[in-house]
Amino acid sequence: MRIGYGLGSLATGTFGTVPGLILLYYLTDVLAVPAALAGAAVFLPKAWDVLINPLVGAAADRSRVQGGSRRPFLLAGALTLPPLFALLFAAPPLRGGAAAAYVAALFLLAATAYAVFQVPYVTLPAEMTEDPAERGRVLAWRVGFLGVAILLSGALAPAIAHADGDTPASYRTMGVVVAALPAVGMLGAWRAVRHAPTVARSAAEPSLRAQLAVARDNPAFTALAGMWTVQALAVGVMLAGVQYFATYVVGSPEAVTPLFACMIGPLVLVMPLWNRLARARGTVFAQWCASLLFTAAAALVFLTRYTSPVVGYAAVALVGVAYAGLQLLPLTMLADTLAADTARTGRRRAATFTGVWTAAETLALALGSGVFAVVLALTGFRSSDASEEVAQPAAALSGINAGMSLLPALLALASCLLLNAYGRRSTAAALAPDAADARETPDAPRAGTTAPAPAPAPRTGPTEPQPFPPPAPPATP
C-alpha cells in the first residue's frame, strides 16, 4: 500500500514540473505571446488553486464525515487531468493574445482537476496511521516517487518538444506522451488505497480565510510555511528560467534536458544522506545546510555566461543536491509541527494545515513563472513563433542570466530568516509546560467522527526521519 500510495506523486511531480518548466517558453517562443501576457496566462490559473483547494477539501471532508471515502475524488482527478494536460499543449493555430487565452482556459481546467486529486491525496497519510514511524515510511515513498516523476517528466517533456524544432506539432506530441505518467500514477494510487485503514479523521476548515486563521494560531507552522513558500518561489523562478537559460546563455535549446537532469538527478541519490544528517544533527540543522547550499550554488550559476557551460552544469548539479534536502526536510518538520499542535490543542487539524501548505506551495510555484516573465518583460525580451529566430537585446540576455541565478539565490537567503524564526518557535514550544496541563478543553468530536486519541508530547531532541526506501524503477511512458 505504501508503494501504491506513493504512485500518486507521479501526477503531483509531473503537473508541478512540466508546466513550470516549459509552458512560459511555449507561449513566448512558440506561440508569440508577449512575455507579460504569457506570465499572466501561466500564473492566474495556478493562483486559482488557492481558492479551489479549500472547497475541494471541504467537499472531501463532508464525504468522509457522512461515511464516504476520499477515493471518488482521486478517481475524478485521474480521469480528467491527463486529457486536459494533453489539450493544454495542443493549441489550435493561434498566436498572441488568442493563444494566451486558450492556454489560460485549459490550464485553469487542468488546475481544477489537479486540486480534486491532490487535496484528498495529501490528507490520506494522516488518516491511515497514527504511528509517526509508519507515516514517515509512507511519506518517504511519496517523496521518492515525486523525485522520479520530476526527473522523468522534466527530462522527457523538453526532449520531445525540441525533437522537431520547437514546432506546435512537437508540443502536441509531448503533451500526449507525458500525460500518460500522471494517468498511471493517479489510477494506481486510487486502486492502492481501496483497503487503506482509517484510524483517524481530520477535517479542514471550509474556507481559505478560516484555514489561515487556524494557521496564525500556530507561530511555528506560520514560520515553517513561510520558509517553504519562499523556497518554492525560488525553485519556481529557476524552473521557469532553465529553458531560457539553455537557449540564450548556454546556446542550445536541447541543453535544457542535461541541465534539468543535473538539477533533479541527485534528488533520489542524495536524499538518504540528508536523512542521515537530520538524524545525526537534527532536521533544522540539516535544513540550514540545504538552504545555504542552494543559495551558494544558485549564485554560482551566474558565472556561466562569463566562463563556460561546464560551470553552469556543475553549479546546477549542486543546486540539485540542495534541492533534495529542500524537498524532504520541510515535510519532516511539518509532521513534527502537526504532532505538536495536536498535543497542544487536543484537536486534529492536519487537513487544515496541509490545505494551507499546499495552497502556499502551489501559489509560489505559479508565481515563479510570473516573476520570471516580469524579468523578461522589464529587460526587453522579444517573443516569437517557432518559424522565426529573433535576436535578443543584451539586457534581455543579462536578465535571463540573473533571473536564473541571483534572484533564486536571494530568495533562498531570505527564507533563512523564516527558518531561524521556526527554530526559535519550535524550541519554545518544546520547552513549554506539558501540553496536557496547558491545553484548554478540546472541542467535542464532530458527528460521525471518532474522538482523537492522545498524542505524544512534542519531542525536544533532533527529529528522527525514517530511512528512505529506494523506489522501484519506473516504466518509461
Side-chain angles (χ1 to χ4, degrees), residues 35 120 245 417 454:
F245 183 80
L417 299 175

Side-chain angles (χ1 to χ4, degrees), residues 25-318:
Y25 183 86
Y26 172 61
L27 286 165
T28 61
D29 284 49
V30 178
L31 301 182
V33 178
L37 183 57
V42 173
F43 170 68
L44 293 177
K46 290 296 287 181
W48 163 249
D49 277 358
V50 179
L51 301 177
I52 193 65
N53 279 358
L55 300 178
V56 173
D61 289 338
R62 284 195 299 270
S63 172
R64 198 60 147 164
V65 169
Q66 295 167 2
S69 167
R70 299 194 189 274
R71 291 184 70 234
F73 293 86
L74 302 184
L75 181 60
L79 295 178
T80 53
L81 178 60
L84 288 170
F85 181 90
L87 289 172
L88 176 62
F89 293 97
L94 301 172
R95 295 294 181 270
Y102 172 88
V103 169
L106 265 295
F107 201 22
L108 179 69
L109 293 174
T112 302
Y114 176 68
V116 170
F117 174 86
Q118 186 207 29
V119 173
Y121 175 75
V122 170
T123 305
L124 282 173
E127 298 183 338
M128 291 191 297
T129 178
E130 291 183 303
D131 179 10
E134 175 61 22
R135 187 165 55 244
R137 285 187 284 269
V138 172
L139 289 175
W141 280 104
R142 178 172 126 196
V143 173
F145 276 109
L146 180 68
V148 170
I150 292 173
L151 179 59
L152 190 58
S153 65
L156 187 64
I160 297 174
H162 300 319
D164 193 25
D166 276 338
T167 64
S170 64
Y171 277 86
R172 292 189 192 100
T173 302
M174 180 277 298
V176 172
V177 173
V178 174
L181 194 58
V184 170
M186 298 164 89
L187 290 172
W190 167 75
R191 179 174 175 79
V193 301
R194 65 190 185 282
H195 299 309
T198 303
V199 299
R201 291 182 179 177
S202 59
E205 300 296 331
S207 68
L208 179 62
R209 181 177 180 181
Q211 290 185 4
L212 292 175
V214 170
R216 284 195 299 268
D217 184 50
N218 191 320
F221 173 81
T222 301
L224 180 62
M227 179 209 74
W228 172 259
T229 302
V230 176
Q231 290 185 348
L233 176 58
V235 172
V237 170
M238 184 168 276
L239 193 65
V242 69
Q243 179 65 79
Y244 295 91
F245 183 80
T247 302
Y248 298 105
V249 177
V250 177
S252 170
E254 292 78 12
V256 68
T257 297
L259 280 169
F260 190 81
C262 287
M263 180 177 177
I264 305 302
L267 189 66
V268 174
L269 298 177
V270 304
M271 202 171 285
L273 301 180
W274 287 115
N275 255 328
R276 291 183 184 179
L277 180 62
R279 289 199 303 272
R281 300 294 301 274
T283 310
V284 173
F285 177 84
Q287 179 67 31
W288 270 105
C289 293
S291 301
L292 294 177
L293 178 59
F294 184 95
T295 300
L300 185 60
V301 173
F302 181 77
L303 299 178
T304 305
R305 188 181 178 202
Y306 308 101
T307 53
S308 164
V310 175
V311 174
Y313 287 115
V316 170
L318 288 176

Side-chain angles (χ1 to χ4, degrees), residues 395-434:
L397 298 178
S398 297
I400 290 170
N401 193 43
M404 172 67 180
S405 56
L406 299 183
L407 181 54
L410 290 173
L411 290 168
L413 191 62
S415 74
C416 292
L417 299 175
L418 293 162
L419 175 59
N420 185 55
Y422 169 79
R424 293 198 314 268
R425 290 165 181 172
S426 61
T427 300
L431 297 176
D434 183 18

